[in-house]
């Protein structure tokens, strides 16, 4: 049931060569077949439950990809006006949009007052919605994000459901939040939880959700938003979806609607990053594979110490040796992989970074005045389609006056 097509099934050395020559490197490539299959796995798990699936477009905001997900029945989970703009470019209607965030500005609140759902992060935010409702009349349906104080066993930067994290309303003050909403004439439709990202154990999901379900019963809410956070297989472990469907899905029975906000699970394994090998630098201490993009194109290894598999396409020698794969930027943190066992690639050949579809391009930067890469979609017919051109130096300095 959960055996999806993988990039390995669709990617050949010739294809990498062809794409790199046609579009240049660094290059992000996504596979439509994989995106659609994984979107269907997500919706398929919730058999018998009325779901409102959204794609967390912080993971990837390319409107061409959002349009594919729209066809699969997904709306979007947005955090900013920029992500709203991306959703609009993909023709996602307001009624399919959920708005998250712990720092919603009054300007954003006025402009986004027509989206379907909002997850309210704090009592202070409720106060603001009261003012906005007074000024603009109709406002979105409101969920209260609760902080269940559950440890998701993921990287601390992407854990969100512990008391020390900035997100959500601690359960101890939930009563005050509900009271505040009532006094302000704000109608709440349910609770929202999202305890973090890249979670590979079912237990924390269960621990958080069972609290949210119990509270929903207590307060009579018929809708619930269960967030996202499903962990993918970067190295050796992923969320066990059959366990998830057995353990989590039954808790959701009886709800009128269940909102989902899934990002990484759908798009992460559907994307790769192709880089060109500039040269292999050997010192007494180490061997460095120097490639033409680093933390500017994929910051996850530098920022979270994240592991991404690396595939060498044309080896100079087949024996594997310990190497660091590094970018060309001016800091030592500019790494894509450290202490990994790889064949030594030929100068000028290409390497592929796996599982780069989520939080890859979305977190890319222009550091060292580098240009953001192009993005290509391999369609279901295996045709490459340019879905974002490479930046130019004019793009880079467009805002200078
Ligand atoms: N809902 C909320 C409220 C979120 O904050 C997030 C992710 C999601 C849904 C989607 O989570 P996903 O299904 O993609 O795990 N930049 C980090 C990940 C940050 C996640 C932020 N929030 C990384 O590269 O690992």
């Amino acid at each position: 049931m959960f055996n999806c097509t993988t990039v390995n099934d669709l990617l050949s050395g010739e294809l990498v060569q062809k794409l790199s020559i046609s579009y240049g490197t660094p290059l992000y490539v996504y596979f439509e077949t994989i995106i659609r299959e994984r979107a269907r796995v997500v919706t398929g798990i919730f058999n018998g439950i009325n779901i409102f699936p959204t794609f967390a477009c912080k993971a990837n905001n390319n409107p061409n990809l959002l349009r594919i997900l729209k066809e699969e029945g997904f709306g979007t989970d947005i955090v900013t006006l920029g992500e709203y703009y991306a959703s609009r470019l993909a023709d996602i209607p307001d009624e399919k949009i959920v708005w998250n965030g712990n720092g919603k500005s009054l300007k954003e609140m006025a402009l986004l007052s027509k989206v379907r759902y909002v997850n309210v992060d704090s009592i202070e935010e409720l106060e603001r919605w009261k003012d906005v409702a007074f000024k603009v009349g109709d406002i979105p349906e409101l969920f209260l994000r609760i902080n269940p104080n559950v440890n998701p066993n993921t990287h601390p930067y992407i854990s969100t459901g512990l008391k020390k994290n900035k997100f959500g309303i601690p359960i101890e003050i939930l009563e005050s939040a509900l009271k505040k909403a009532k006094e302000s004439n704000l109608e709440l439709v349910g609770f929202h939880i999202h305890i973090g990202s890249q979670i590979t154990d079912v237990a924390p999901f269960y621990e958080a959700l069972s609290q949210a379900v119990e509270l929903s019963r207590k307060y009579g809410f018929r809708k619930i938003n269960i967030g996202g956070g499903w962990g993918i297989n970067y190295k050796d472990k992923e969320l066990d979806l059959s366990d998830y469907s057995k353990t989590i899905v039954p808790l959701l029975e009886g709800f009128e609607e269940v909102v989902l906000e899934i990002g990484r699970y759908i798009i992460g394994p559907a994307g790769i990053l192709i880089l060109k090998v500039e040269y292999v630098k050997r010192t007494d201490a180490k061997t460095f594979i120097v490639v033409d993009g680093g933390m500017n194109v994929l910051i996850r290894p530098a920022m979270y110490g994240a592991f991404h598999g690396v595939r060498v396409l044309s080896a100079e020698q087949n024996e594997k040796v310990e190497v660091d794969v590094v970018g060309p930027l001016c800091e030592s943190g500019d790494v894509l992989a450290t202490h990994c066992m790889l064949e030594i690639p030929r100068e000028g050949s290409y390497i592929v970074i796996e599982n780069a579809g989520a939080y890859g391009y979305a977190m890319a930067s222009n550091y060292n005045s580098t240009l953001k890469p192009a993005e290509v979609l391999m369609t279901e017919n295996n045709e490459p389609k340019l879905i974002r051109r490479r930046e130019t130096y004019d793009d880079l300095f467009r805002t200078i006056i």
Side-chain angles (χ1 to χ4, degrees):
M1 177 188 180
F2 309 123
N3 280 339
C4 289
T5 305
T6 67
V7 163
N8 283 340
D9 302 324
L10 301 175
L11 191 71
S12 64
E14 295 89 89
L15 180 60
V16 173
Q17 184 90 7
K18 194 174 117 194
L19 294 173
S20 309
I21 290 166
S22 307
Y23 302 102
T25 54
L27 182 69
Y28 275 98
V29 182
Y30 307 96
F31 294 82
E32 182 175 1
T33 308
I34 303 181
I35 299 173
R36 289 191 188 274
E37 274 184 25
R38 298 186 76 87
R40 286 173 203 172
V41 166
V42 170
T43 49
I45 295 255
F46 296 93
N47 200 2
I49 309 278
N50 182 34
I51 52 169
F52 183 99
T54 67
F55 174 69
C57 67
K58 68 205 83 180
N60 193 312
N61 73 1
N62 192 309
N64 295 283
L65 304 181
L66 301 185
R67 209 165 291 127
I68 294 174
L69 289 159
K70 181 188 172 205
E71 286 170 12
E72 294 296 331
F74 281 68
T76 47
D77 149 24
I78 62 163
V79 178
T80 60
L81 283 176
E83 290 179 357
Y84 180 67
Y85 202 95
S87 307
R88 291 305 293 263
L89 288 175
D91 295 319
I92 310 257
D94 282 352
E95 62 267 21
K96 295 284 251 175
I97 295 179
V98 177
W99 183 21
N100 263 300
N102 71 307
K104 302 180 185 82
S105 72
L106 287 170
K107 179 180 160 202
E108 289 173 312
M109 288 166 121
L111 289 169
L112 294 178
S113 66
K114 296 283 178 288
V115 301
R116 178 68 185 277
Y117 292 132
V118 166
N119 297 323
V120 176
D121 193 73
S122 60
I123 299 184
E124 292 74 8
E125 187 185 324
L126 276 175
E127 187 69 48
R128 285 195 164 186
W129 280 115
K130 180 175 115 187
D131 297 344
V132 175
F134 183 72
K135 284 200 197 100
V136 307
D138 267 1
I139 58 163
E141 289 181 48
L142 306 180
F143 284 77
L144 276 193
R145 179 168 183 170
I146 54 181
N147 182 319
N149 196 28
V150 168
N151 185 351
N153 302 324
T154 186
H155 191 283
Y157 290 3
I158 55 175
S159 149
T160 54
L162 281 169
K163 258 194 195 163
K164 64 177 178 193
N165 300 136
K166 67 176 178 171
F167 297 103
I169 301 171
I171 290 174
E172 297 76 40
I173 58 164
L174 201 53
E175 284 282 351
S176 326
L178 292 161
K179 191 158 153 251
K180 170 64 133 196
K182 201 163 183 196
E183 287 164 7
S184 313
N185 276 330
L186 294 171
E187 197 197 334
L188 302 175
V189 297
F191 291 124
H192 168 239
I193 43 164
H194 173 78
I195 56 170
S197 194
Q198 184 54 19
I199 301 169
T200 52
D201 295 333
V202 173
F205 284 114
Y206 182 82
E207 203 185 323
L209 185 61
S210 40
Q211 290 186 64
V213 167
E214 201 182 305
L215 289 165
S216 303
R217 290 222 182 85
K218 179 168 170 197
Y219 295 107
F221 289 137
R222 310 272 335 275
K223 298 188 181 187
I224 191 163
N225 181 329
I226 65 168
W230 299 10
I232 62 169
N233 191 0
Y234 285 106
K235 196 173 188 179
D236 45 21
K237 193 170 178 212
E238 65 188 323
L239 182 67
D240 178 344
L241 284 191
S242 50
D243 187 9
Y244 183 96
S245 77
K246 273 189 234 125
T247 314
I248 301 298
V249 177
L251 291 177
L252 300 168
E253 274 159 21
F255 278 97
E256 176 190 305
E257 185 174 67
V258 176
V259 184
L260 314 173
E261 305 166 344
I262 310 284
R264 187 192 315 266
Y265 179 83
I266 296 173
I267 204 72
I272 55 165
L273 171 63
I274 306 177
L275 296 156
K276 189 163 94 187
V277 177
E278 294 299 350
Y279 32 69
V280 179
K281 174 175 175 177
R282 293 179 174 89
T283 70
D284 283 352
K286 269 193 172 174
T287 299
F288 298 96
I289 304 197
V290 186
V291 295
D292 63 352
M295 65 193 292
N296 53 332
V297 285
L298 181 72
I299 201 172
R300 302 194 69 259
M303 190 156 170
Y304 314 112
F307 175 91
H308 282 262
V310 179
R311 272 169 64 180
V312 169
L313 294 174
S314 171
E316 180 187 285
Q317 67 186 53
N318 283 332
E319 175 204 349
K320 290 190 175 175
V321 292
E322 188 179 317
V323 298
D324 280 9
V325 181
V326 300
L329 306 194
C330 274
E331 59 177 277
S332 300
D334 180 31
V335 296
L336 291 169
T338 46
H339 305 295
C340 66
M341 297 300 289
L342 277 187
E343 302 100 339
I344 297 289
R346 265 179 234 287
E347 193 172 307
S349 69
Y350 300 101
I351 62 163
V352 169
I353 309 284
E354 296 171 337
N355 290 307
Y359 307 106
Y361 191 98
M363 295 177 81
S365 78
N366 294 114
Y367 183 38
N368 267 178
S369 300
T370 52
L371 304 176
K372 288 205 196 144
E375 294 182 296
V376 165
L377 175 70
M378 291 304 296
T379 65
E380 283 190 296
N381 307 325
N382 273 328
E383 300 287 344
K385 186 176 154 201
L386 186 66
I387 55 168
R388 180 164 0 216
R389 65 165 173 78
R390 189 173 303 283
E391 279 185 339
T392 63
Y393 290 104
D394 283 344
D395 291 331
L396 202 55
F397 295 105
R398 179 159 290 159
T399 47
I400 300 298
I401 44 178

